[in-house]
Amino acid sequence: MSVADHDRIPEIALDWIAAGKRAALATVVQTWGSAPRPAGSQLVISAEGEIMGSVSGGCVEGAVMVEAMDALEDGTCRMLEFGVSDDEAFAVGLACGGTIRVMVEPIGVGQGPSVAEVQALVEARAARRAVAWAVNPATWARALPDGTGEGPLQAEAAARLRTDRSGMSEDGWFLGVHNPPLRLVVVGAVHIAQALLPMAKVAGYEATLVDPRDAFGSQARFPGETISHDWPDEALDALGLDARTAVITLTHDPKLDDPAIARAIRSPIFYLGCLGSKKTHARRVARLEAEGFSAEEIARIDSPLGADIGSATPAEIAISALAQMTERLRRPDTRPGAKASAPARDAA
């Protein structure tokens, strides 16, 4: 699955600059009420009047474009505030309006970010490295924290990257979250996978099915899906496992499930769900212990698979798996063995 243009705003800005055009970034930094677009939403505007992305769904883009053109001329960054009326909000699908603040940054001009700073952001995104685009509107200082260093800005970035929430910090910095796209790797071309893969894609995941059995993992059974016929451990090695990846095993066959689990269990993935009854899981645990995995590592596995919603059919089991996976992603304190972490807060 390729990344849509509306999710490639920094990349498009650089493409336009490389083509000899000037470009400015507009970013929603705060919202109140039922704002059409959340904090972190971006729009890029070229000096020729081209645009990509959105900051309001169409309500205020025209005014933002005018300000961006002026910013490209005078090199001054801007913080704009717009009230979206109920009528305007209804036109873009909301029941009521709200208020948004939009930051406009001319790239490579005056107070705006340098081309090198935007390039650093693009390189981090290409490498699937989670970072925050941090800007202090009081000084127009910028940073690219990844949440792993010391200090309050890194701590704020870590909290926001965990929860996917862009916004203003209490000390006045805006942090725009740039997390890698979510990925799901499903091991086992079974009936549950036939329901789970399309559901996951609707939920925003890049989904890959892994099954070395050609007859099971076929395009006839999984039309339009990304399928790997490599052995599961080799497939996971090729894909790469990071903190924005979930792995689900469905085969019940230790020859297929166990190699995937062995790779996933010592990786930074946020979710490892394995289908099987309590007896099946007990045998799985015994095999993993015999292979030298610790109790703490084995405890990362969610099994039986899925939220306890009484699911019975393959589609219902897929729903329960996606629900549990979502909870582990959005509420990190629910992950097996995880410590509760304070949620990021937005300044009012």
Side-chain angles (χ1 to χ4, degrees):
M1 177 187 297
S2 60
V3 179
D5 279 350
H6 62 263
D7 291 325
R8 296 185 61 254
I9 300 307
E11 290 80 1
I12 290 171
L14 282 186
D15 290 344
W16 287 349
I17 290 170
K21 304 173 184 178
R22 294 177 297 157
L25 289 172
T27 307
V28 178
V29 298
Q30 277 183 306
T31 67
W32 297 266
S34 183
R37 296 282 283 144
S41 301
Q42 288 193 306
L43 172 72
V44 60
I45 307 101
S46 79
E48 284 76 10
E50 301 162 292
I51 65 170
M52 183 61 67
S54 68
V55 292
S56 75
C59 303
V60 303
E61 268 72 6
V64 172
M65 285 181 64
V66 171
E67 294 286 349
M69 297 291 191
D70 291 343
L72 286 168
E73 294 300 322
D74 62 29
T76 302
C77 293
R78 287 154 164 76
M79 278 294 225
L80 314 173
E81 188 168 314
F82 299 96
V84 180
S85 70
D86 288 354
D87 288 344
E88 290 171 323
F90 187 79
V92 294
L94 297 173
C96 55
T99 303
I100 59 174
R101 288 181 71 199
V102 178
M103 176 175 66
V104 176
E105 301 173 277
I107 300 173
V109 182
Q111 296 173 331
S114 67
V115 174
E117 287 174 317
V118 179
Q119 180 67 47
L121 171 61
V122 168
E123 289 173 356
R125 286 163 55 95
R128 288 187 60 86
R129 185 165 64 90
V131 294
W133 179 254
V135 184
N136 187 332
T139 62
W140 297 114
R142 291 174 180 83
L144 208 62
D146 60 7
T148 64
E150 300 294 329
L153 190 59
Q154 288 284 5
E156 182 80 14
R160 290 190 175 277
L161 290 168
R162 280 195 302 270
T163 57
D164 261 339
R165 289 185 60 194
S166 301
M168 299 295 297
S169 69
E170 291 185 345
D171 57 359
W173 283 79
F174 167 73
L175 289 92
V177 169
H178 289 265
N179 268 320
L182 292 164
R183 296 189 302 181
L184 170 63
V185 184
V186 176
V187 178
V190 300
H191 285 163
I192 296 169
Q194 289 177 305
L196 178 57
L197 290 166
M199 288 181 188
K201 289 198 291 188
V202 170
Y205 288 80
E206 296 176 353
T208 300
L209 175 66
V210 176
D211 198 314
R213 303 168 296 181
D214 291 359
F216 283 77
S218 66
Q219 282 294 328
R221 296 185 70 231
F222 294 89
E225 302 294 351
T226 300
I227 304 171
S228 169
H229 293 298
D230 291 338
W231 205 253
D233 52 349
E234 296 172 352
L236 294 186
D237 287 344
L239 288 167
L241 299 177
D242 57 29
R244 297 281 287 177
T245 302
V247 175
I248 292 178
T249 67
L250 299 175
T251 74
H252 282 155
D253 186 343
K255 295 192 303 296
L256 297 178
D257 284 359
D258 286 7
I261 294 169
R263 283 293 190 273
I265 206 169
R266 286 176 174 167
S267 75
I269 63 172
F270 72 87
Y271 179 73
L272 173 57
C274 300
L275 185 68
S277 66
K278 291 182 179 180
K279 288 183 178 180
T280 298
H281 186 58
R283 292 193 292 269
R284 178 187 294 133
V285 169
R287 293 194 303 271
L288 291 169
E289 288 174 339
E291 291 294 324
F293 289 94
S294 69
E296 183 178 6
E297 289 171 331
I298 295 170
R300 294 190 63 199
I301 300 172
D302 270 303
S303 187
L305 174 71
D308 185 6
I309 59 174
S311 53
T313 68
E316 290 173 350
I317 294 170
I319 290 170
S320 73
L322 188 58
Q324 187 177 62
M325 188 168 71
T326 302
E327 183 179 45
R328 300 296 184 255
L329 173 68
R330 301 303 179 193
R331 296 174 56 195
D333 55 294
T334 69
R335 300 175 192 175
K339 295 180 180 179
S341 56
R345 293 173 295 177
D346 285 338

